[in-house]
Amino acid sequence: MDRTAQLTALRADRDIAYDPPPEADSPHARAARVLEENWTGTSTVPSPGLYPHQWSWDSAFIAIGLRHVSPLRAQTELETLLGAQWGDGRVPHIVFNPSVPLDAYFPSPDFWRSSTAGRAAGAPRTVQTSGIVQPPVHALAAWLVHRADPGLSRARGFLTRVYPRLAAWHRYLLHRRDLGGAGLASVVHPWEQGMDNSPCWDAPLRRVPPAPTRSFRRADLDHGAAEDRPTDLDYGRYVRLATDYRDGGYADGTGLFAVEDPAFNALLIASEHALAGIARELGATGTARHARAERLTAALIDRMWDPASGMFLCHDVRAGGLIPERGVSGLIPLLLPTLPRNIAATLVGTAHGPHFGLGRTTRLAPSYDLLGEAFDPHRYWRGPAWFNTGWLLERGLRTHGERDRAEALREAMLDLAVASDFAEYVDPYTGKACGTTRFSWTAALTLDLLHDFEELMDSKGGNRG
């Protein structure tokens, strides 16, 4: 038996049935069960009812948690997603499961028409996907997954296989999506940034005429309260943008919506640092990747740092200028290891100040400014707190030496995740569950938070914190 077969066989039992701690009701065991229930055989759905397919950045966060209970499963999660990559390098935000009925989720495969409308962009013919993307957390996830079990990873050639795909993904973002000419990636749809319904999108969305409500059916309202979800007007604009993008053959640069977002670009930079680690593991130096990450960090500061707000703001490429709305996205660059000390300190102060109230009036940072006119503690991304943004902030705090604040945030996330039955998101004041429960990335990141945090992102060959 060769080494790969040996390693895989040794893990077979563990990969089919999780081996949680003896306490059947421990947070670890409960979180692992959620991921077991949501596993399809090749990937993990965010939620069987509300989100019954594979989502791009969800799978990255899920893999980060899965690495603690099944490194093989975590590798498979990322490999399945990257197997649906387009020829131009984009990683689609949804990979559709053909066994799920078309009316279970909208927009469905027959809306995106990826294999036909996306032919010029190299959409795969054997799997149906969406045509837009999501934040590039994948290289960071791949690096952390590798480090969870380097022996298995090397035996399976995991990094050797995923590195070219991750590099192509980054090339797509840095070239095809540099719509503002500053070297940063733009999103062309609010769904791409991941924080779909943020008030940060309100101004640029006003340029978009909504699609008629009769032209689509919102399957999301079958699983969530209307008052917690985007309005029909906003949804109509989302549909219009997606329709125009599809009908244009998924060509970039022509749409009404183009925004440079701080979180999207911060995650791209973090993943560039991770790609440097992967390159070193594969025998290269990684120096060029670190240098690119530093250039992107400088561009991010130059383009989106707003000293008056004490945080990063979105940049509207079409209208020009910053969007004067404080979303949690503007705090995520705290994740970056080479962020100047004064900017990092200011971000920490903003997160714990009156606009986000972290550790004072809120236990988890809200998705939007507590003092903003559009704040709503329950409506999707317009105020509720999410566990993935909390996880990113926790890492950022540790990266910049704020260990006590990081530990307080970690404890709050663990308490609220378990108490809410791994809710999709929560009221930032009360911790009440919102959206759906038994949500995969909440469970996965709970598993990660339950483990030691010595695996912080590499920076120039060493770990921070």
Side-chain angles (χ1 to χ4, degrees), residues 244-258:
D244 290 350
Y245 194 40
R246 177 198 68 198
D247 293 348
Y250 296 110
D252 295 310
T254 61
L256 294 171
F257 186 99

mmCIF file with all atom_site columns, all heavy atoms in Angstrom, residues 244-258:
data_model
loop_
_atom_site.group_PDB
_atom_site.id
_atom_site.type_symbol
_atom_site.label_atom_id
_atom_site.label_alt_id
_atom_site.label_comp_id
_atom_site.label_asym_id
_atom_site.label_entity_id
_atom_site.label_seq_id
_atom_site.pdbx_PDB_ins_code
_atom_site.Cartn_x
_atom_site.Cartn_y
_atom_site.Cartn_z
_atom_site.occupancy
_atom_site.B_iso_or_equiv
_atom_site.pdbx_formal_charge
_atom_site.auth_seq_id
_atom_site.auth_comp_id
_atom_site.auth_asym_id
_atom_site.auth_atom_id
_atom_site.pdbx_PDB_model_num
ATOM 1   N N   . ASP A 1 244 ? -28.339 41.458 -16.320 1.00 0.00 ? 244 ASP A N   1
ATOM 2   C CA  . ASP A 1 244 ? -27.511 42.209 -17.267 1.00 0.00 ? 244 ASP A CA  1
ATOM 3   C C   . ASP A 1 244 ? -26.118 41.589 -17.397 1.00 0.00 ? 244 ASP A C   1
ATOM 4   O O   . ASP A 1 244 ? -25.558 41.526 -18.503 1.00 0.00 ? 244 ASP A O   1
ATOM 5   C CB  . ASP A 1 244 ? -27.393 43.668 -16.826 1.00 0.00 ? 244 ASP A CB  1
ATOM 6   C CG  . ASP A 1 244 ? -28.699 44.442 -16.968 1.00 0.00 ? 244 ASP A CG  1
ATOM 7   O OD1 . ASP A 1 244 ? -29.643 43.906 -17.593 1.00 0.00 ? 244 ASP A OD1 1
ATOM 8   O OD2 . ASP A 1 244 ? -28.782 45.567 -16.438 1.00 0.00 ? 244 ASP A OD2 1
ATOM 9   N N   . TYR A 1 245 ? -25.568 41.147 -16.292 1.00 0.00 ? 245 TYR A N   1
ATOM 10  C CA  . TYR A 1 245 ? -24.235 40.520 -16.311 1.00 0.00 ? 245 TYR A CA  1
ATOM 11  C C   . TYR A 1 245 ? -24.279 39.230 -17.135 1.00 0.00 ? 245 TYR A C   1
ATOM 12  O O   . TYR A 1 245 ? -23.412 38.976 -17.980 1.00 0.00 ? 245 TYR A O   1
ATOM 13  C CB  . TYR A 1 245 ? -23.803 40.255 -14.870 1.00 0.00 ? 245 TYR A CB  1
ATOM 14  C CG  . TYR A 1 245 ? -22.349 39.913 -14.663 1.00 0.00 ? 245 TYR A CG  1
ATOM 15  C CD1 . TYR A 1 245 ? -21.326 40.553 -15.357 1.00 0.00 ? 245 TYR A CD1 1
ATOM 16  C CD2 . TYR A 1 245 ? -21.984 38.955 -13.717 1.00 0.00 ? 245 TYR A CD2 1
ATOM 17  C CE1 . TYR A 1 245 ? -19.986 40.245 -15.126 1.00 0.00 ? 245 TYR A CE1 1
ATOM 18  C CE2 . TYR A 1 245 ? -20.653 38.638 -13.476 1.00 0.00 ? 245 TYR A CE2 1
ATOM 19  C CZ  . TYR A 1 245 ? -19.662 39.287 -14.178 1.00 0.00 ? 245 TYR A CZ  1
ATOM 20  O OH  . TYR A 1 245 ? -18.343 38.980 -13.943 1.00 0.00 ? 245 TYR A OH  1
ATOM 21  N N   . ARG A 1 246 ? -25.300 38.425 -16.896 1.00 0.00 ? 246 ARG A N   1
ATOM 22  C CA  . ARG A 1 246 ? -25.466 37.180 -17.659 1.00 0.00 ? 246 ARG A CA  1
ATOM 23  C C   . ARG A 1 246 ? -25.633 37.462 -19.148 1.00 0.00 ? 246 ARG A C   1
ATOM 24  O O   . ARG A 1 246 ? -24.976 36.853 -19.998 1.00 0.00 ? 246 ARG A O   1
ATOM 25  C CB  . ARG A 1 246 ? -26.692 36.430 -17.135 1.00 0.00 ? 246 ARG A CB  1
ATOM 26  C CG  . ARG A 1 246 ? -27.035 35.150 -17.886 1.00 0.00 ? 246 ARG A CG  1
ATOM 27  C CD  . ARG A 1 246 ? -28.467 34.736 -17.604 1.00 0.00 ? 246 ARG A CD  1
ATOM 28  N NE  . ARG A 1 246 ? -29.413 35.687 -18.181 1.00 0.00 ? 246 ARG A NE  1
ATOM 29  C CZ  . ARG A 1 246 ? -30.697 35.793 -17.824 1.00 0.00 ? 246 ARG A CZ  1
ATOM 30  N NH1 . ARG A 1 246 ? -31.169 35.023 -16.846 1.00 0.00 ? 246 ARG A NH1 1
ATOM 31  N NH2 . ARG A 1 246 ? -31.495 36.672 -18.412 1.00 0.00 ? 246 ARG A NH2 1
ATOM 32  N N   . ASP A 1 247 ? -26.515 38.404 -19.465 1.00 0.00 ? 247 ASP A N   1
ATOM 33  C CA  . ASP A 1 247 ? -26.800 38.678 -20.874 1.00 0.00 ? 247 ASP A CA  1
ATOM 34  C C   . ASP A 1 247 ? -25.613 39.307 -21.597 1.00 0.00 ? 247 ASP A C   1
ATOM 35  O O   . ASP A 1 247 ? -25.553 39.294 -22.834 1.00 0.00 ? 247 ASP A O   1
ATOM 36  C CB  . ASP A 1 247 ? -28.033 39.579 -20.991 1.00 0.00 ? 247 ASP A CB  1
ATOM 37  C CG  . ASP A 1 247 ? -29.312 38.879 -20.534 1.00 0.00 ? 247 ASP A CG  1
ATOM 38  O OD1 . ASP A 1 247 ? -29.274 37.641 -20.348 1.00 0.00 ? 247 ASP A OD1 1
ATOM 39  O OD2 . ASP A 1 247 ? -30.339 39.560 -20.356 1.00 0.00 ? 247 ASP A OD2 1
ATOM 40  N N   . GLY A 1 248 ? -24.674 39.847 -20.824 1.00 0.00 ? 248 GLY A N   1
ATOM 41  C CA  . GLY A 1 248 ? -23.436 40.362 -21.408 1.00 0.00 ? 248 GLY A CA  1
ATOM 42  C C   . GLY A 1 248 ? -22.332 39.330 -21.463 1.00 0.00 ? 248 GLY A C   1
ATOM 43  O O   . GLY A 1 248 ? -21.162 39.684 -21.682 1.00 0.00 ? 248 GLY A O   1
ATOM 44  N N   . GLY A 1 249 ? -22.684 38.058 -21.272 1.00 0.00 ? 249 GLY A N   1
ATOM 45  C CA  . GLY A 1 249 ? -21.697 36.985 -21.348 1.00 0.00 ? 249 GLY A CA  1
ATOM 46  C C   . GLY A 1 249 ? -20.732 36.964 -20.183 1.00 0.00 ? 249 GLY A C   1
ATOM 47  O O   . GLY A 1 249 ? -19.634 36.416 -20.290 1.00 0.00 ? 249 GLY A O   1
ATOM 48  N N   . TYR A 1 250 ? -21.151 37.546 -19.057 1.00 0.00 ? 250 TYR A N   1
ATOM 49  C CA  . TYR A 1 250 ? -20.318 37.621 -17.851 1.00 0.00 ? 250 TYR A CA  1
ATOM 50  C C   . TYR A 1 250 ? -18.990 38.334 -18.101 1.00 0.00 ? 250 TYR A C   1
ATOM 51  O O   . TYR A 1 250 ? -17.974 38.024 -17.488 1.00 0.00 ? 250 TYR A O   1
ATOM 52  C CB  . TYR A 1 250 ? -20.098 36.218 -17.252 1.00 0.00 ? 250 TYR A CB  1
ATOM 53  C CG  . TYR A 1 250 ? -21.393 35.596 -16.776 1.00 0.00 ? 250 TYR A CG  1
ATOM 54  C CD1 . TYR A 1 250 ? -21.970 34.514 -17.442 1.00 0.00 ? 250 TYR A CD1 1
ATOM 55  C CD2 . TYR A 1 250 ? -22.065 36.120 -15.679 1.00 0.00 ? 250 TYR A CD2 1
ATOM 56  C CE1 . TYR A 1 250 ? -23.172 33.958 -17.008 1.00 0.00 ? 250 TYR A CE1 1
ATOM 57  C CE2 . TYR A 1 250 ? -23.270 35.575 -15.245 1.00 0.00 ? 250 TYR A CE2 1
ATOM 58  C CZ  . TYR A 1 250 ? -23.821 34.497 -15.907 1.00 0.00 ? 250 TYR A CZ  1
ATOM 59  O OH  . TYR A 1 250 ? -25.000 33.954 -15.482 1.00 0.00 ? 250 TYR A OH  1
ATOM 60  N N   . ALA A 1 251 ? -19.033 39.308 -19.005 1.00 0.00 ? 251 ALA A N   1
ATOM 61  C CA  . ALA A 1 251 ? -17.860 40.147 -19.250 1.00 0.00 ? 251 ALA A CA  1
ATOM 62  C C   . ALA A 1 251 ? -17.800 41.237 -18.187 1.00 0.00 ? 251 ALA A C   1
ATOM 63  O O   . ALA A 1 251 ? -18.827 41.824 -17.824 1.00 0.00 ? 251 ALA A O   1
ATOM 64  C CB  . ALA A 1 251 ? -17.935 40.774 -20.638 1.00 0.00 ? 251 ALA A CB  1
ATOM 65  N N   . ASP A 1 252 ? -16.609 41.524 -17.692 1.00 0.00 ? 252 ASP A N   1
ATOM 66  C CA  . ASP A 1 252 ? -16.451 42.476 -16.599 1.00 0.00 ? 252 ASP A CA  1
ATOM 67  C C   . ASP A 1 252 ? -16.202 43.893 -17.112 1.00 0.00 ? 252 ASP A C   1
ATOM 68  O O   . ASP A 1 252 ? -15.571 44.086 -18.153 1.00 0.00 ? 252 ASP A O   1
ATOM 69  C CB  . ASP A 1 252 ? -15.286 42.047 -15.696 1.00 0.00 ? 252 ASP A CB  1
ATOM 70  C CG  . ASP A 1 252 ? -15.566 40.741 -14.991 1.00 0.00 ? 252 ASP A CG  1
ATOM 71  O OD1 . ASP A 1 252 ? -16.647 40.620 -14.399 1.00 0.00 ? 252 ASP A OD1 1
ATOM 72  O OD2 . ASP A 1 252 ? -14.707 39.837 -15.037 1.00 0.00 ? 252 ASP A OD2 1
ATOM 73  N N   . GLY A 1 253 ? -16.725 44.867 -16.359 1.00 0.00 ? 253 GLY A N   1
ATOM 74  C CA  . GLY A 1 253 ? -16.383 46.254 -16.632 1.00 0.00 ? 253 GLY A CA  1
ATOM 75  C C   . GLY A 1 253 ? -17.456 47.097 -17.268 1.00 0.00 ? 253 GLY A C   1
ATOM 76  O O   . GLY A 1 253 ? -17.249 48.299 -17.476 1.00 0.00 ? 253 GLY A O   1
ATOM 77  N N   . THR A 1 254 ? -18.616 46.514 -17.573 1.00 0.00 ? 254 THR A N   1
ATOM 78  C CA  . THR A 1 254 ? -19.643 47.275 -18.286 1.00 0.00 ? 254 THR A CA  1
ATOM 79  C C   . THR A 1 254 ? -20.875 47.594 -17.440 1.00 0.00 ? 254 THR A C   1
ATOM 80  O O   . THR A 1 254 ? -21.728 48.357 -17.866 1.00 0.00 ? 254 THR A O   1
ATOM 81  C CB  . THR A 1 254 ? -20.099 46.506 -19.532 1.00 0.00 ? 254 THR A CB  1
ATOM 82  O OG1 . THR A 1 254 ? -20.658 45.253 -19.129 1.00 0.00 ? 254 THR A OG1 1
ATOM 83  C CG2 . THR A 1 254 ? -18.930 46.247 -20.472 1.00 0.00 ? 254 THR A CG2 1
ATOM 84  N N   . GLY A 1 255 ? -20.997 47.021 -16.256 1.00 0.00 ? 255 GLY A N   1
ATOM 85  C CA  . GLY A 1 255 ? -22.217 47.154 -15.472 1.00 0.00 ? 255 GLY A CA  1
ATOM 86  C C   . GLY A 1 255 ? -22.351 48.473 -14.742 1.00 0.00 ? 255 GLY A C   1
ATOM 87  O O   . GLY A 1 255 ? -21.415 49.272 -14.642 1.00 0.00 ? 255 GLY A O   1
ATOM 88  N N   . LEU A 1 256 ? -23.555 48.700 -14.201 1.00 0.00 ? 256 LEU A N   1
ATOM 89  C CA  . LEU A 1 256 ? -23.859 49.931 -13.479 1.00 0.00 ? 256 LEU A CA  1
ATOM 90  C C   . LEU A 1 256 ? -23.279 49.931 -12.067 1.00 0.00 ? 256 LEU A C   1
ATOM 91  O O   . LEU A 1 256 ? -23.177 50.978 -11.435 1.00 0.00 ? 256 LEU A O   1
ATOM 92  C CB  . LEU A 1 256 ? -25.380 50.116 -13.394 1.00 0.00 ? 256 LEU A CB  1
ATOM 93  C CG  . LEU A 1 256 ? -26.118 50.352 -14.720 1.00 0.00 ? 256 LEU A CG  1
ATOM 94  C CD1 . LEU A 1 256 ? -27.629 50.298 -14.487 1.00 0.00 ? 256 LEU A CD1 1
ATOM 95  C CD2 . LEU A 1 256 ? -25.710 51.682 -15.318 1.00 0.00 ? 256 LEU A CD2 1
ATOM 96  N N   . PHE A 1 257 ? -22.915 48.760 -11.570 1.00 0.00 ? 257 PHE A N   1
ATOM 97  C CA  . PHE A 1 257 ? -22.456 48.608 -10.189 1.00 0.00 ? 257 PHE A CA  1
ATOM 98  C C   . PHE A 1 257 ? -21.007 48.141 -10.200 1.00 0.00 ? 257 PHE A C   1
ATOM 99  O O   . PHE A 1 257 ? -20.686 47.076 -10.753 1.00 0.00 ? 257 PHE A O   1
ATOM 100 C CB  . PHE A 1 257 ? -23.344 47.604 -9.457  1.00 0.00 ? 257 PHE A CB  1
ATOM 101 C CG  . PHE A 1 257 ? -23.070 47.459 -7.983  1.00 0.00 ? 257 PHE A CG  1
ATOM 102 C CD1 . PHE A 1 257 ? -23.854 48.118 -7.047  1.00 0.00 ? 257 PHE A CD1 1
ATOM 103 C CD2 . PHE A 1 257 ? -22.047 46.640 -7.522  1.00 0.00 ? 257 PHE A CD2 1
ATOM 104 C CE1 . PHE A 1 257 ? -23.626 47.977 -5.683  1.00 0.00 ? 257 PHE A CE1 1
ATOM 105 C CE2 . PHE A 1 257 ? -21.805 46.492 -6.169  1.00 0.00 ? 257 PHE A CE2 1
ATOM 106 C CZ  . PHE A 1 257 ? -22.599 47.161 -5.249  1.00 0.00 ? 257 PHE A CZ  1
ATOM 107 N N   . ALA A 1 258 ? -20.112 48.908 -9.633  1.00 0.00 ? 258 ALA A N   1
ATOM 108 C CA  . ALA A 1 258 ? -18.711 48.505 -9.469  1.00 0.00 ? 258 ALA A CA  1
ATOM 109 C C   . ALA A 1 258 ? -18.187 49.202 -8.224  1.00 0.00 ? 258 ALA A C   1
ATOM 110 O O   . ALA A 1 258 ? -18.103 50.432 -8.188  1.00 0.00 ? 258 ALA A O   1
ATOM 111 C CB  . ALA A 1 258 ? -17.880 48.876 -10.689 1.00 0.00 ? 258 ALA A CB  1
#
